[in-house]
Amino acid sequence: MAVKWTGGHSSPVLCLNASKEGLLASGAEGGDLTAWGEDGTPLGHMRFQGADDVTSVLFSPSRPAKLYASHGETISVLDVRSLKDSLDHFHVNEEEINCLSLNQTETLLASADDSGAIKILDLENKKVIRSLKRHSNICSSVAFRPQRPQSLVSCGLDMQVMLWSLQKARPLWITNLQEDEAEEMESPQSPGQLFNPALAHSISVAACGDIFSCGAEDGKVRIFRVMGVKCEQELGFKGHTLGVSQVCFLPESCLLLTGGNDGKIMLWDTNSEVEKKPKSPTKRTHRKKPKRGTCTKQGGNTDASVTDEEEHGNILPKLNIEHGEKVNWLLGTKIKGHQNILVADQTSCISVYPLNEF
């Protein structure tokens, strides 16, 4: 059962983040920003002028009370111990920001926006050093790769996933999810695929820095491996019956959380599945056509049926939570020493699920 954190917002929560010291922050529609203690008590609240939605919040790894928050076209820098005024702010994006990412050395901040652009901000000199413009539609998600401060990945509603190096203004590698899917299909596209194009919503990089995941509107979760200046798709499986709105690797792990518009939250062991995958440099395994199945969580255990195995292309989730609300944001973090899943959805509260068995 989930514990509900309430009292921090009056509108749907859109984003979450946690610091290494146990502080948490959430952003919501209408410019709301709230800081939380580990026990779920709101520690502070503010509302940005203009009431633009707070779409991304990000704690500083080196200064746990320092928080970056995007609202509209603006990035604000705040101290969560005193949410009154911004310590600093940047207006470098031309359209609404959807996602923020810090590199591991905390020298660069990436901000992806509705124009498809990714701005790279030098935090020491407080100026944009790169403007990455290759997405032809909204850039929904961007993530720096751990241990590689000059490298990042992005995805967007143009159905494209890109690998970037900041030494170059152009991406090193691009794939179109819809075109890749069409190449793999042995038969023409089904009507369902036309109605659910592979609009890419979320991207997350594992702690190793070489494996990343992308969640898309077609309900599919894709796992890629970076191999030098290009990437290869290691896995592709039907994780959800509706669009995958969030993917999130657990810290220092290859366990992947996914959340969907179907109101489900799933946990996958991507490392063991990649290891089991047949090595074929030229052709990826063709998956069976997905079928509906049931999978329930009982006492922290997962009971899966044969139809589940077909639905996920022979890959079974370690955990399946029937959350019941469209997932806006997922966060795996330790609270009081125990791993938890924090969920933002269409309500004004935050749901917390324990992950004791992991």
Side-chain angles (χ1 to χ4, degrees):
M1 290 290 292
V3 174
K4 301 284 187 180
W5 290 3
T6 60
H9 297 285
S10 57
S11 55
V13 182
L14 300 177
C15 56
L16 301 164
N17 200 241
S19 75
K20 292 180 179 178
E21 305 298 317
L23 291 169
L24 293 107
S26 57
E29 291 182 359
D32 266 4
L33 179 71
T34 299
W36 305 82
E38 286 188 303
D39 59 355
T41 303
L43 301 178
H45 173 266
M46 71 174 292
R47 178 168 290 179
F48 290 108
Q49 287 185 347
D52 288 314
D53 295 347
V54 180
T55 53
S56 189
V57 287
L58 205 54
F59 277 99
S60 159
S62 60
R63 294 173 58 190
K66 187 177 181 180
L67 183 75
Y68 300 89
S70 62
H71 49 105
E73 301 153 13
T74 303
I75 302 165
S76 291
V77 186
L78 306 130
D79 187 329
V80 293
R81 297 167 299 188
S82 179
L83 288 178
K84 293 181 180 179
D85 298 311
S86 299
L87 302 175
D88 207 345
H89 67 273
F90 304 100
H91 192 111
V92 296
N93 293 78
E94 296 170 7
E95 295 191 25
E96 184 179 33
I97 298 166
N98 299 306
C99 186
L100 297 175
S101 181
L102 275 170
N103 70 346
Q104 201 158 19
T105 55
E106 205 180 332
T107 54
L108 303 175
L109 178 69
S111 55
D113 69 26
D114 278 1
S115 74
I118 303 164
K119 302 289 185 177
I120 307 297
L121 187 65
D122 180 328
L123 291 172
E124 184 177 353
N125 297 312
K126 299 184 179 182
K127 66 178 184 179
V128 173
I129 59 165
R130 282 284 190 200
S131 184
L132 309 177
K133 296 182 179 179
R134 192 60 187 264
H135 285 285
S136 59
N137 202 327
I138 291 169
C139 184
S140 48
S141 191
V142 64
F144 274 102
R145 295 170 59 204
Q147 305 173 50
R148 293 155 185 84
Q150 293 283 315
S151 180
L152 62 159
V153 289
S154 66
C155 68
L157 301 194
D158 55 1
M159 301 185 282
Q160 296 195 107
V161 178
M162 302 184 189
L163 170 69
W164 303 84
S165 168
L166 296 183
Q167 273 78 36
K168 297 178 181 291
R170 299 172 62 184
L172 298 176
W173 171 88
I174 303 175
T175 190
N176 185 297
L177 301 183
Q178 195 79 355
E179 289 175 4
D180 288 352
E181 197 70 16
E183 286 176 13
E184 286 191 356
M185 296 298 289
E186 292 174 1
S187 58
Q189 286 186 327
S190 65
Q193 284 181 293
L194 297 175
F195 287 116
N196 295 297
L199 311 175
H201 294 305
S202 178
I203 210 160
S204 179
V205 188
C208 65
D210 289 329
I211 299 290
F212 68 94
S213 175
C214 178
E217 186 63 26
D218 59 359
K220 199 168 181 180
V221 178
R222 295 165 175 87
I223 309 295
F224 296 91
R225 181 186 296 275
V226 182
M227 303 180 74
V229 295
K230 64 186 183 71
C231 305
E232 285 192 5
Q233 184 175 317
E234 295 277 343
L235 291 171
F237 51 92
K238 191 81 169 180
H240 296 265
T241 55
L242 296 174
V244 181
S245 53
Q246 277 282 295
V247 292
C248 173
F249 278 104
L250 293 183
E252 306 305 321
S253 168
C254 280
L255 292 171
L256 178 71
L257 285 169
T258 64
N261 297 338
D262 56 3
K264 292 181 180 180
I265 298 160
M266 299 183 188
L267 181 71
W268 312 84
D269 185 353
T270 61
N271 195 44
S272 64
E273 296 299 339
V274 167
E275 287 176 356
K276 286 191 294 185
K277 174 182 172 283
K279 298 299 179 184
S280 173
T282 57
K283 187 178 180 181
R284 293 188 288 263
T285 306
H286 175 63
R287 301 291 183 191
K288 291 181 181 179
K289 185 177 179 181
K291 297 180 181 179
R292 288 184 70 87
T294 57
C295 184
T296 58
K297 174 177 176 285
Q298 295 178 341
N301 295 318
T302 304
D303 297 326
S305 66
V306 175
T307 51
D308 244 331
E309 195 164 326
E310 291 173 346
E311 178 180 351
H312 301 117
N314 298 323
I315 299 174
L316 294 175
K318 294 287 183 183
L319 192 66
N320 186 341
I321 300 170
E322 291 283 354
H323 180 65
E325 291 276 351
K326 173 185 177 292
V327 175
N328 288 335
W329 203 276
L330 278 179
L331 178 67
T333 189
K334 284 189 175 180
I335 298 176
K336 297 180 179 178
H338 299 288
Q339 191 71 49
N340 287 266
I341 305 171
L342 273 65
V343 187
D345 55 31
Q346 297 297 89
T347 69
S348 59
C349 61
I350 296 167
S351 299
V352 182
Y353 292 93
L355 259 182
N356 298 330
E357 62 268 43
F358 295 97

